[in-house]
Amino acid sequence: EELAKNIAANGQLQPIIVTPATDEHAGKYHVHSGHRRCVALRALGWPDIKAIVRADLTAREARKIAIADNLGREDLSGYEQAMGLAAYAEDYKIDLAAAAEEIGLTKRHLSRLRGITKASPGLLEILRDTGISARASEHLVEIDATDPKKAARLAQRLAEGTVTLKDIEAQTKGPREKTRKLAAVRDVEIKVDK
């Protein structure tokens, strides 16, 4: 609904990516990127949709485009992003770093998603069921490495709204922040007046 309002106000800013259907749906198209835009445009009753037709896409390329498109969505949870990347890597028998490179993820984003895939079963279950963001998941995973029960408890409280992302970040930034401040102090040039 929000996307439809945005498109109604600003127009379709980005084309969808499609391939021609060759099966019983000949004459139609498979949407590989922009499914939500397509649904929003249909809801608006627009008869035409800007699209890039890619008849040359392999199944792997089509999947890569779809995953890259999904990873850019703000409403996709950290768990969904991590599992999408992990499934792509597993299906094509490559590691997460190679999958991230193919999709075009930054090293930072890869690090965030890799951590989620290695979370304890209890935390993973909460992340799956609650839709917690990748950023919040990253901090929870850091806590999970030393205290899985605490991480699960914080994740549940975040999902319930009784703690904030800022509260969780404070749980992980303490030692790093002190180290950063000490490093800054060491780098200061001291001049003594005689």
Side-chain angles (χ1 to χ4, degrees):
E1 190 175 301
E2 187 177 319
L3 181 57
K5 286 178 185 176
N6 185 295
I7 292 171
N10 302 303
Q12 182 188 353
L13 301 176
Q14 203 174 16
I16 63 173
I17 298 176
V18 299
T19 54
T22 55
D23 48 17
E24 69 272 5
H25 302 289
K28 296 185 179 186
Y29 297 88
H30 295 290
V31 177
H32 296 287
S33 173
H35 184 265
R36 290 175 61 247
R37 275 171 275 154
C38 190
V39 170
L41 288 160
R42 283 184 183 162
L44 290 170
W46 288 25
D48 298 314
I49 297 173
K50 294 177 193 169
I52 297 171
V53 179
R54 295 279 311 268
D56 61 332
L57 280 183
T58 65
R60 186 172 185 161
E61 290 170 329
R63 182 142 179 228
K64 186 168 51 172
I65 288 169
I67 289 174
D69 191 47
N70 278 336
L71 289 176
R73 287 176 38 199
E74 289 182 19
D75 65 334
L76 201 64
S77 73
Y79 176 86
E80 291 168 319
Q81 290 180 34
M83 294 306 119
L85 181 65
Y88 179 84
E90 185 177 319
D91 289 350
Y92 293 106
K93 311 275 187 272
I94 56 177
D95 64 17
L96 285 179
E101 187 174 322
E102 281 189 23
I103 293 167
L105 298 182
T106 64
K107 287 182 180 180
R108 178 81 177 114
H109 201 156
L110 167 62
S111 174
R112 197 175 263 173
L113 298 183
R114 178 181 279 139
I116 294 169
T117 65
K118 295 179 179 182
S120 67
L123 180 58
L124 268 179
E125 184 178 338
I126 295 168
L127 295 178
R128 181 194 67 219
D129 295 342
T130 59
I132 292 173
S133 73
R135 183 173 165 200
S137 296
E138 176 183 27
H139 292 286
L140 290 165
V141 164
E142 192 173 328
I143 295 165
D144 185 60
T146 57
D147 193 344
K149 288 181 182 178
K150 179 179 181 180
R153 200 170 46 251
L154 283 170
Q156 196 61 51
R157 290 183 63 204
L158 179 65
E160 294 165 355
T162 58
V163 298
T164 65
L165 173 57
K166 192 173 182 177
D167 297 329
I168 291 172
E169 285 175 336
Q171 300 276 329
T172 58
K173 283 188 176 175
R176 273 190 285 173
E177 204 55 42
K178 287 177 187 171
T179 302
R180 203 173 292 126
K181 285 179 182 175
L182 281 174
V185 168
R186 286 187 200 121
D187 290 342
V188 172
E189 184 179 323
I190 299 173
K191 293 183 181 180
V192 179
D193 290 331
K194 293 184 182 184

